[in-house]
Each structure stands twice: as structure tokens, then as C-alpha cells.
mmCIF file of all heavy atoms in Angstrom:
data_model
loop_
_atom_site.group_PDB
_atom_site.id
_atom_site.type_symbol
_atom_site.label_atom_id
_atom_site.label_comp_id
_atom_site.label_asym_id
_atom_site.label_seq_id
_atom_site.Cartn_x
_atom_site.Cartn_y
_atom_site.Cartn_z
ATOM 1 N N ALA O 1 131.253 168.531 38.006
ATOM 2 C CA ALA O 1 131.001 168.222 36.618
ATOM 3 C C ALA O 1 131.576 166.858 36.244
ATOM 4 O O ALA O 1 130.921 166.093 35.519
ATOM 5 C CB ALA O 1 131.588 169.285 35.739
ATOM 6 N N VAL O 2 132.797 166.589 36.756
ATOM 7 C CA VAL O 2 133.394 165.225 36.589
ATOM 8 C C VAL O 2 132.510 164.157 37.108
ATOM 9 O O VAL O 2 132.236 163.136 36.488
ATOM 10 C CB VAL O 2 134.782 165.219 37.195
ATOM 11 C CG1 VAL O 2 135.308 163.798 37.110
ATOM 12 C CG2 VAL O 2 135.732 166.115 36.404
ATOM 13 N N SER O 3 132.043 164.382 38.344
ATOM 14 C CA SER O 3 131.142 163.418 39.019
ATOM 15 C C SER O 3 129.831 163.203 38.254
ATOM 16 O O SER O 3 129.433 162.039 37.989
ATOM 17 C CB SER O 3 130.788 163.893 40.448
ATOM 18 O OG SER O 3 129.905 162.998 41.015
ATOM 19 N N ALA O 4 129.220 164.286 37.743
ATOM 20 C CA ALA O 4 128.019 164.166 37.002
ATOM 21 C C ALA O 4 128.276 163.443 35.734
ATOM 22 O O ALA O 4 127.425 162.584 35.291
ATOM 23 C CB ALA O 4 127.441 165.561 36.724
ATOM 24 N N ARG O 5 129.398 163.656 35.017
ATOM 25 C CA ARG O 5 129.695 162.957 33.753
ATOM 26 C C ARG O 5 129.965 161.517 34.024
ATOM 27 O O ARG O 5 129.486 160.628 33.268
ATOM 28 C CB ARG O 5 130.931 163.576 33.156
ATOM 29 C CG ARG O 5 131.320 162.892 31.852
ATOM 30 C CD ARG O 5 130.237 163.014 30.772
ATOM 31 N NE ARG O 5 130.621 162.319 29.598
ATOM 32 C CZ ARG O 5 130.313 161.008 29.371
ATOM 33 N NH1 ARG O 5 129.637 160.360 30.334
ATOM 34 N NH2 ARG O 5 130.634 160.387 28.270
ATOM 35 N N ALA O 6 130.596 161.189 35.174
ATOM 36 C CA ALA O 6 130.892 159.794 35.459
ATOM 37 C C ALA O 6 129.603 159.012 35.775
ATOM 38 O O ALA O 6 129.435 157.847 35.384
ATOM 39 C CB ALA O 6 131.806 159.733 36.728
ATOM 40 N N ARG O 7 128.649 159.653 36.380
ATOM 41 C CA ARG O 7 127.370 158.989 36.674
ATOM 42 C C ARG O 7 126.584 158.654 35.402
ATOM 43 O O ARG O 7 125.720 157.792 35.480
ATOM 44 C CB ARG O 7 126.514 159.894 37.633
ATOM 45 C CG ARG O 7 127.124 160.067 39.006
ATOM 46 C CD ARG O 7 126.295 161.079 39.850
ATOM 47 N NE ARG O 7 127.034 161.449 41.070
ATOM 48 C CZ ARG O 7 127.058 160.787 42.155
ATOM 49 N NH1 ARG O 7 126.390 159.635 42.240
ATOM 50 N NH2 ARG O 7 127.760 161.164 43.207
ATOM 51 N N LEU O 8 126.825 159.433 34.396
ATOM 52 C CA LEU O 8 126.089 159.262 33.114
ATOM 53 C C LEU O 8 126.747 158.195 32.159
ATOM 54 O O LEU O 8 126.185 157.898 31.178
ATOM 55 C CB LEU O 8 125.948 160.545 32.397
ATOM 56 C CG LEU O 8 125.047 161.633 33.056
ATOM 57 C CD1 LEU O 8 125.167 162.949 32.241
ATOM 58 C CD2 LEU O 8 123.648 161.198 33.146
ATOM 59 N N ALA O 9 127.901 157.720 32.583
ATOM 60 C CA ALA O 9 128.609 156.801 31.721
ATOM 61 C C ALA O 9 127.863 155.461 31.553
ATOM 62 O O ALA O 9 127.319 154.906 32.508
ATOM 63 C CB ALA O 9 130.016 156.506 32.324
ATOM 64 N N ARG O 10 127.772 154.974 30.333
ATOM 65 C CA ARG O 10 127.108 153.750 30.025
ATOM 66 C C ARG O 10 127.998 152.557 30.465
ATOM 67 O O ARG O 10 129.270 152.649 30.437
ATOM 68 C CB ARG O 10 126.801 153.648 28.603
ATOM 69 C CG ARG O 10 125.952 154.744 28.026
ATOM 70 C CD ARG O 10 125.568 154.426 26.584
ATOM 71 N NE ARG O 10 126.735 154.104 25.744
ATOM 72 C CZ ARG O 10 127.508 155.035 25.178
ATOM 73 N NH1 ARG O 10 127.202 156.348 25.272
ATOM 74 N NH2 ARG O 10 128.550 154.722 24.429
ATOM 75 N N PRO O 11 127.470 151.420 30.737
ATOM 76 C CA PRO O 11 128.265 150.249 31.121
ATOM 77 C C PRO O 11 129.263 149.851 30.065
ATOM 78 O O PRO O 11 130.344 149.327 30.403
ATOM 79 C CB PRO O 11 127.221 149.141 31.336
ATOM 80 C CG PRO O 11 126.001 149.878 31.687
ATOM 81 C CD PRO O 11 126.014 151.139 30.880
ATOM 82 N N ASP O 12 128.923 150.090 28.763
ATOM 83 C CA ASP O 12 129.806 149.632 27.686
ATOM 84 C C ASP O 12 130.702 150.793 27.216
ATOM 85 O O ASP O 12 131.421 150.639 26.216
ATOM 86 C CB ASP O 12 129.039 149.092 26.493
ATOM 87 C CG ASP O 12 128.097 150.151 25.902
ATOM 88 O OD1 ASP O 12 127.852 151.155 26.633
ATOM 89 O OD2 ASP O 12 127.598 149.916 24.785
ATOM 90 N N GLU O 13 130.707 151.958 27.906
ATOM 91 C CA GLU O 13 131.418 153.104 27.466
ATOM 92 C C GLU O 13 132.896 153.029 27.906
ATOM 93 O O GLU O 13 133.141 152.669 29.081
ATOM 94 C CB GLU O 13 130.791 154.398 27.976
ATOM 95 C CG GLU O 13 131.480 155.687 27.512
ATOM 96 C CD GLU O 13 130.771 156.874 27.961
ATOM 97 O OE1 GLU O 13 129.683 156.747 28.518
ATOM 98 O OE2 GLU O 13 131.219 158.014 27.714
ATOM 99 N N THR O 14 133.776 153.292 27.018
ATOM 100 C CA THR O 14 135.245 153.306 27.334
ATOM 101 C C THR O 14 135.682 154.733 27.479
ATOM 102 O O THR O 14 135.770 155.484 26.457
ATOM 103 C CB THR O 14 136.051 152.597 26.224
ATOM 104 O OG1 THR O 14 135.591 151.302 26.065
ATOM 105 C CG2 THR O 14 137.585 152.615 26.576
ATOM 106 N N PRO O 15 135.997 155.207 28.686
ATOM 107 C CA PRO O 15 136.474 156.572 28.814
ATOM 108 C C PRO O 15 137.823 156.773 28.219
ATOM 109 O O PRO O 15 138.637 155.732 28.194
ATOM 110 C CB PRO O 15 136.540 156.725 30.352
ATOM 111 C CG PRO O 15 136.655 155.392 30.893
ATOM 112 C CD PRO O 15 135.959 154.480 29.955
ATOM 113 N N PRO O 16 138.196 157.926 27.685
ATOM 114 C CA PRO O 16 139.525 158.047 27.061
ATOM 115 C C PRO O 16 140.628 157.979 28.183
ATOM 116 O O PRO O 16 140.429 158.449 29.250
ATOM 117 C CB PRO O 16 139.437 159.478 26.500
ATOM 118 C CG PRO O 16 138.358 160.148 27.254
ATOM 119 C CD PRO O 16 137.381 159.100 27.566
ATOM 120 N N ALA O 17 141.703 157.357 27.835
ATOM 121 C CA ALA O 17 142.830 157.324 28.740
ATOM 122 C C ALA O 17 143.548 158.664 28.784
ATOM 123 O O ALA O 17 143.595 159.363 27.776
ATOM 124 C CB ALA O 17 143.825 156.242 28.320
ATOM 125 N N PRO O 18 143.981 159.106 29.935
ATOM 126 C CA PRO O 18 144.736 160.343 30.009
ATOM 127 C C PRO O 18 146.031 160.237 29.297
ATOM 128 O O PRO O 18 146.619 159.181 29.185
ATOM 129 C CB PRO O 18 144.904 160.582 31.500
ATOM 130 C CG PRO O 18 144.864 159.211 32.123
ATOM 131 C CD PRO O 18 143.931 158.396 31.275
ATOM 132 N N PRO O 19 146.639 161.382 28.876
ATOM 133 C CA PRO O 19 147.964 161.364 28.248
ATOM 134 C C PRO O 19 148.956 160.710 29.238
ATOM 135 O O PRO O 19 148.893 160.958 30.445
ATOM 136 C CB PRO O 19 148.263 162.808 28.034
ATOM 137 C CG PRO O 19 146.881 163.420 27.954
ATOM 138 C CD PRO O 19 146.054 162.745 28.957
ATOM 139 N N GLU O 20 149.955 160.013 28.706
ATOM 140 C CA GLU O 20 150.947 159.348 29.527
ATOM 141 C C GLU O 20 151.635 160.358 30.411
ATOM 142 O O GLU O 20 151.994 160.008 31.564
ATOM 143 C CB GLU O 20 151.951 158.580 28.679
ATOM 144 C CG GLU O 20 151.363 157.334 28.033
ATOM 145 C CD GLU O 20 152.454 156.496 27.289
ATOM 146 O OE1 GLU O 20 153.658 156.825 27.517
ATOM 147 O OE2 GLU O 20 152.071 155.585 26.587
ATOM 148 N N ALA O 21 151.926 161.602 29.911
ATOM 149 C CA ALA O 21 152.638 162.562 30.714
ATOM 150 C C ALA O 21 151.870 162.909 31.940
ATOM 151 O O ALA O 21 152.475 163.150 32.995
ATOM 152 C CB ALA O 21 152.907 163.806 29.854
ATOM 153 N N VAL O 22 150.519 163.049 31.889
ATOM 154 C CA VAL O 22 149.747 163.322 33.033
ATOM 155 C C VAL O 22 149.808 162.226 34.047
ATOM 156 O O VAL O 22 150.051 162.460 35.289
ATOM 157 C CB VAL O 22 148.281 163.532 32.648
ATOM 158 C CG1 VAL O 22 147.377 163.683 33.883
ATOM 159 C CG2 VAL O 22 148.137 164.776 31.764
ATOM 160 N N TRP O 23 149.649 160.983 33.641
ATOM 161 C CA TRP O 23 149.769 159.827 34.523
ATOM 162 C C TRP O 23 151.107 159.800 35.228
ATOM 163 O O TRP O 23 151.345 159.538 36.393
ATOM 164 C CB TRP O 23 149.447 158.526 33.813
ATOM 165 C CG TRP O 23 149.537 157.344 34.651
ATOM 166 C CD1 TRP O 23 150.368 156.262 34.527
ATOM 167 C CD2 TRP O 23 148.721 157.019 35.847
ATOM 168 N NE1 TRP O 23 150.085 155.312 35.502
ATOM 169 C CE2 TRP O 23 149.112 155.745 36.333
ATOM 170 C CE3 TRP O 23 147.733 157.736 36.526
ATOM 171 C CZ2 TRP O 23 148.554 155.168 37.480
ATOM 172 C CZ3 TRP O 23 147.165 157.140 37.701
ATOM 173 C CH2 TRP O 23 147.605 155.883 38.139
ATOM 174 N N ASP O 24 152.196 159.993 34.361
ATOM 175 C CA ASP O 24 153.534 159.924 34.848
ATOM 176 C C ASP O 24 153.779 160.964 35.953
ATOM 177 O O ASP O 24 154.422 160.745 36.972
ATOM 178 C CB ASP O 24 154.547 160.114 33.733
ATOM 179 C CG ASP O 24 154.630 158.939 32.830
ATOM 180 O OD1 ASP O 24 154.174 157.890 33.195
ATOM 181 O OD2 ASP O 24 155.205 159.108 31.725
ATOM 182 N N ARG O 25 153.160 162.189 35.775
ATOM 183 C CA ARG O 25 153.351 163.209 36.765
ATOM 184 C C ARG O 25 152.603 162.905 38.061
ATOM 185 O O ARG O 25 153.169 163.117 39.135
ATOM 186 C CB ARG O 25 152.860 164.589 36.211
ATOM 187 C CG ARG O 25 153.124 165.713 37.180
ATOM 188 C CD ARG O 25 152.860 167.066 36.610
ATOM 189 N NE ARG O 25 153.156 168.089 37.519
ATOM 190 C CZ ARG O 25 152.952 169.385 37.331
ATOM 191 N NH1 ARG O 25 152.427 169.800 36.187
ATOM 192 N NH2 ARG O 25 153.277 170.298 38.206
ATOM 193 N N VAL O 26 151.452 162.326 37.936
ATOM 194 C CA VAL O 26 150.725 161.939 39.150
ATOM 195 C C VAL O 26 151.561 160.891 39.942
ATOM 196 O O VAL O 26 151.692 160.999 41.148
ATOM 197 C CB VAL O 26 149.307 161.334 38.820
ATOM 198 C CG1 VAL O 26 148.643 160.749 40.049
ATOM 199 C CG2 VAL O 26 148.407 162.420 38.206
ATOM 200 N N VAL O 27 152.029 159.900 39.203
ATOM 201 C CA VAL O 27 152.832 158.817 39.861
ATOM 202 C C VAL O 27 154.034 159.463 40.452
ATOM 203 O O VAL O 27 154.431 159.120 41.648
ATOM 204 C CB VAL O 27 153.352 157.803 38.757
ATOM 205 C CG1 VAL O 27 154.284 156.828 39.388
ATOM 206 C CG2 VAL O 27 152.002 157.023 38.320
ATOM 207 N N HIS O 28 154.734 160.369 39.829
ATOM 208 C CA HIS O 28 155.957 161.007 40.386
ATOM 209 C C HIS O 28 155.651 161.772 41.639
ATOM 210 O O HIS O 28 156.352 161.652 42.643
ATOM 211 C CB HIS O 28 156.562 161.938 39.319
ATOM 212 C CG HIS O 28 157.695 162.814 39.864
ATOM 213 N ND1 HIS O 28 158.966 162.302 39.996
ATOM 214 C CD2 HIS O 28 157.715 164.070 40.228
ATOM 215 C CE1 HIS O 28 159.746 163.188 40.547
ATOM 216 N NE2 HIS O 28 159.019 164.305 40.682
ATOM 217 N N GLU O 29 154.587 162.507 41.638
ATOM 218 C CA GLU O 29 154.213 163.357 42.815
ATOM 219 C C GLU O 29 153.869 162.476 43.932
ATOM 220 O O GLU O 29 154.253 162.650 45.110
ATOM 221 C CB GLU O 29 153.043 164.331 42.436
ATOM 222 C CG GLU O 29 153.322 165.286 41.447
ATOM 223 C CD GLU O 29 154.172 166.510 41.996
ATOM 224 O OE1 GLU O 29 154.407 166.475 43.258
ATOM 225 O OE2 GLU O 29 154.715 167.271 41.261
ATOM 226 N N LEU O 30 153.057 161.443 43.707
ATOM 227 C CA LEU O 30 152.691 160.511 44.833
ATOM 228 C C LEU O 30 153.847 159.748 45.388
ATOM 229 O O LEU O 30 153.964 159.559 46.554
ATOM 230 C CB LEU O 30 151.598 159.566 44.360
ATOM 231 C CG LEU O 30 150.226 160.141 44.028
ATOM 232 C CD1 LEU O 30 149.296 159.128 43.552
ATOM 233 C CD2 LEU O 30 149.576 160.762 45.285
ATOM 234 N N SER O 31 154.769 159.318 44.490
ATOM 235 C CA SER O 31 155.961 158.576 44.905
ATOM 236 C C SER O 31 156.798 159.500 45.737
ATOM 237 O O SER O 31 157.382 159.116 46.747
ATOM 238 C CB SER O 31 156.675 158.068 43.692
ATOM 239 O OG SER O 31 155.939 157.145 42.937
ATOM 240 N N ALA O 32 157.030 160.729 45.300
ATOM 241 C CA ALA O 32 157.854 161.724 46.026
ATOM 242 C C ALA O 32 157.274 161.969 47.382
ATOM 243 O O ALA O 32 158.039 162.241 48.356
ATOM 244 C CB ALA O 32 158.034 162.986 45.234
ATOM 245 N N ALA O 33 156.029 161.980 47.538
ATOM 246 C CA ALA O 33 155.380 162.202 48.773
ATOM 247 C C ALA O 33 155.276 160.995 49.689
ATOM 248 O O ALA O 33 154.782 161.101 50.770
ATOM 249 C CB ALA O 33 153.967 162.764 48.528
ATOM 250 N N GLY O 34 155.746 159.888 49.197
ATOM 251 C CA GLY O 34 155.690 158.614 49.971
ATOM 252 C C GLY O 34 154.342 158.042 50.061
ATOM 253 O O GLY O 34 154.007 157.222 50.976
ATOM 254 N N GLU O 35 153.457 158.459 49.169
ATOM 255 C CA GLU O 35 152.027 157.988 49.214
ATOM 256 C C GLU O 35 151.758 156.846 48.247
ATOM 257 O O GLU O 35 150.667 156.406 48.134
ATOM 258 C CB GLU O 35 151.071 159.133 48.939
ATOM 259 C CG GLU O 35 151.203 160.292 49.973
ATOM 260 C CD GLU O 35 150.298 161.461 49.605
ATOM 261 O OE1 GLU O 35 149.514 161.316 48.659
ATOM 262 O OE2 GLU O 35 150.401 162.523 50.219
ATOM 263 N N LEU O 36 152.749 156.388 47.580
ATOM 264 C CA LEU O 36 152.553 155.362 46.509
ATOM 265 C C LEU O 36 153.757 154.442 46.618
ATOM 266 O O LEU O 36 154.904 154.822 46.334
ATOM 267 C CB LEU O 36 152.446 155.959 45.142
ATOM 268 C CG LEU O 36 151.995 155.150 43.985
ATOM 269 C CD1 LEU O 36 150.495 154.685 44.240
ATOM 270 C CD2 LEU O 36 152.035 155.844 42.683
ATOM 271 N N SER O 37 153.530 153.218 46.939
ATOM 272 C CA SER O 37 154.630 152.266 47.105
ATOM 273 C C SER O 37 154.756 151.364 45.850
ATOM 274 O O SER O 37 155.810 151.030 45.420
ATOM 275 C CB SER O 37 154.447 151.293 48.294
ATOM 276 O OG SER O 37 153.168 150.704 48.225
ATOM 277 N N THR O 38 153.645 151.036 45.234
ATOM 278 C CA THR O 38 153.635 150.139 44.082
ATOM 279 C C THR O 38 152.826 150.860 43.021
ATOM 280 O O THR O 38 151.660 151.157 43.321
ATOM 281 C CB THR O 38 153.179 148.715 44.321
ATOM 282 O OG1 THR O 38 153.915 148.153 45.373
ATOM 283 C CG2 THR O 38 153.243 147.926 43.101
ATOM 284 N N VAL O 39 153.354 151.032 41.803
ATOM 285 C CA VAL O 39 152.596 151.701 40.782
ATOM 286 C C VAL O 39 152.094 150.733 39.799
ATOM 287 O O VAL O 39 152.824 149.897 39.256
ATOM 288 C CB VAL O 39 153.528 152.702 40.083
ATOM 289 C CG1 VAL O 39 152.806 153.384 38.955
ATOM 290 C CG2 VAL O 39 154.052 153.746 40.987
ATOM 291 N N THR O 40 150.815 150.737 39.548
ATOM 292 C CA THR O 40 150.179 149.895 38.506
ATOM 293 C C THR O 40 149.782 150.796 37.358
ATOM 294 O O THR O 40 149.131 151.827 37.540
ATOM 295 C CB THR O 40 148.948 149.232 39.095
ATOM 296 O OG1 THR O 40 149.266 148.466 40.225
ATOM 297 C CG2 THR O 40 148.258 148.301 38.039
ATOM 298 N N PRO O 41 150.171 150.388 36.132
ATOM 299 C CA PRO O 41 149.868 151.254 34.992
ATOM 300 C C PRO O 41 148.325 151.451 34.929
ATOM 301 O O PRO O 41 147.510 150.528 35.190
ATOM 302 C CB PRO O 41 150.373 150.469 33.765
ATOM 303 C CG PRO O 41 151.417 149.537 34.373
ATOM 304 C CD PRO O 41 151.022 149.242 35.793
ATOM 305 N N LEU O 42 147.913 152.678 34.490
ATOM 306 C CA LEU O 42 146.550 152.973 34.357
ATOM 307 C C LEU O 42 145.935 152.179 33.229
ATOM 308 O O LEU O 42 146.454 152.202 32.099
ATOM 309 C CB LEU O 42 146.433 154.496 34.067
ATOM 310 C CG LEU O 42 144.966 155.010 34.103
ATOM 311 C CD1 LEU O 42 144.434 154.988 35.518
ATOM 312 C CD2 LEU O 42 144.866 156.445 33.581
ATOM 313 N N PRO O 43 144.857 151.408 33.428
ATOM 314 C CA PRO O 43 144.310 150.672 32.384
ATOM 315 C C PRO O 43 143.637 151.547 31.331
ATOM 316 O O PRO O 43 143.084 152.623 31.684
ATOM 317 C CB PRO O 43 143.220 149.781 33.070
ATOM 318 C CG PRO O 43 142.882 150.630 34.333
ATOM 319 C CD PRO O 43 144.142 151.270 34.726
ATOM 320 N N THR O 44 143.700 151.130 30.078
ATOM 321 C CA THR O 44 143.087 151.895 28.997
ATOM 322 C C THR O 44 141.608 151.614 28.897
ATOM 323 O O THR O 44 140.838 152.381 28.312
ATOM 324 C CB THR O 44 143.819 151.655 27.661
ATOM 325 O OG1 THR O 44 143.717 150.247 27.363
ATOM 326 C CG2 THR O 44 145.228 152.070 27.746
ATOM 327 N N ARG O 45 141.130 150.489 29.353
ATOM 328 C CA ARG O 45 139.757 150.030 29.306
ATOM 329 C C ARG O 45 139.305 149.409 30.599
ATOM 330 O O ARG O 45 139.542 148.235 30.869
ATOM 331 C CB ARG O 45 139.534 149.033 28.122
ATOM 332 C CG ARG O 45 138.078 148.559 28.011
ATOM 333 C CD ARG O 45 137.909 147.545 26.910
ATOM 334 N NE ARG O 45 138.025 148.164 25.628
ATOM 335 C CZ ARG O 45 137.077 148.749 24.891
ATOM 336 N NH1 ARG O 45 135.873 148.777 25.446
ATOM 337 N NH2 ARG O 45 137.256 149.276 23.728
ATOM 338 N N PRO O 46 138.764 150.258 31.531
ATOM 339 C CA PRO O 46 138.362 149.724 32.773
ATOM 340 C C PRO O 46 137.184 148.695 32.624
ATOM 341 O O PRO O 46 136.412 148.759 31.691
ATOM 342 C CB PRO O 46 137.844 150.945 33.565
ATOM 343 C CG PRO O 46 137.513 151.940 32.531
ATOM 344 C CD PRO O 46 138.425 151.651 31.378
ATOM 345 N N VAL O 47 137.109 147.764 33.510
ATOM 346 C CA VAL O 47 136.004 146.774 33.524
ATOM 347 C C VAL O 47 134.861 147.326 34.306
ATOM 348 O O VAL O 47 134.996 147.604 35.505
ATOM 349 C CB VAL O 47 136.573 145.447 34.097
ATOM 350 C CG1 VAL O 47 135.385 144.419 34.127
ATOM 351 C CG2 VAL O 47 137.748 144.941 33.344
ATOM 352 N N TRP O 48 133.686 147.469 33.646
ATOM 353 C CA TRP O 48 132.483 147.961 34.347
ATOM 354 C C TRP O 48 131.694 146.841 34.856
ATOM 355 O O TRP O 48 131.566 145.836 34.182
ATOM 356 C CB TRP O 48 131.699 148.828 33.426
ATOM 357 C CG TRP O 48 132.421 150.079 32.966
ATOM 358 C CD1 TRP O 48 133.261 150.176 31.870
ATOM 359 C CD2 TRP O 48 132.344 151.398 33.537
ATOM 360 N NE1 TRP O 48 133.709 151.434 31.774
ATOM 361 C CE2 TRP O 48 133.201 152.193 32.770
ATOM 362 C CE3 TRP O 48 131.659 151.846 34.595
ATOM 363 C CZ2 TRP O 48 133.352 153.537 33.074
ATOM 364 C CZ3 TRP O 48 131.824 153.164 34.901
ATOM 365 C CH2 TRP O 48 132.685 153.984 34.168
#
């Protein structure tokens, strides 16, 4: 369903940014697992 929604996104559409707590948890888990060496903040408006 996520994939289907992403395929329908318009070039000028701005997807909502996830809550900071969600992003922080992803970063924490990846860092703890040694899978993330440098963390770049999630952009609020990706460039299409």
C-alpha cells in the first residue's frame, strides 16, 4: 500500500514529515546496530 501510494505521488507533492520521535528511534536503532555511521536529518521537503 505504501508503494502504491508513493507511485501516485505528484512531482509537486510534499509528503508529510514523520514525527521527530519516529525518526529519532530509527536513527537510534540503526546506530546501535552499527548500521549507521553518519546521520543526516530527514528533509521535510524532498526534491522530486
Side-chain angles (χ1 to χ4, degrees):
V2 170
S3 175
R5 179 63 185 89
R7 293 175 192 276
L8 293 174
R10 301 186 310 273
D12 61 344
E13 184 176 354
T14 302
E20 288 187 10
V22 172
W23 180 242
D24 289 344
R25 184 170 182 185
V26 171
V27 170
H28 173 76
E29 294 285 350
L30 291 176
S31 298
E35 298 176 9
L36 193 65
S37 57
T38 303
V39 177
T40 302
L42 189 68
T44 58
R45 179 181 290 273
V47 178
W48 295 87

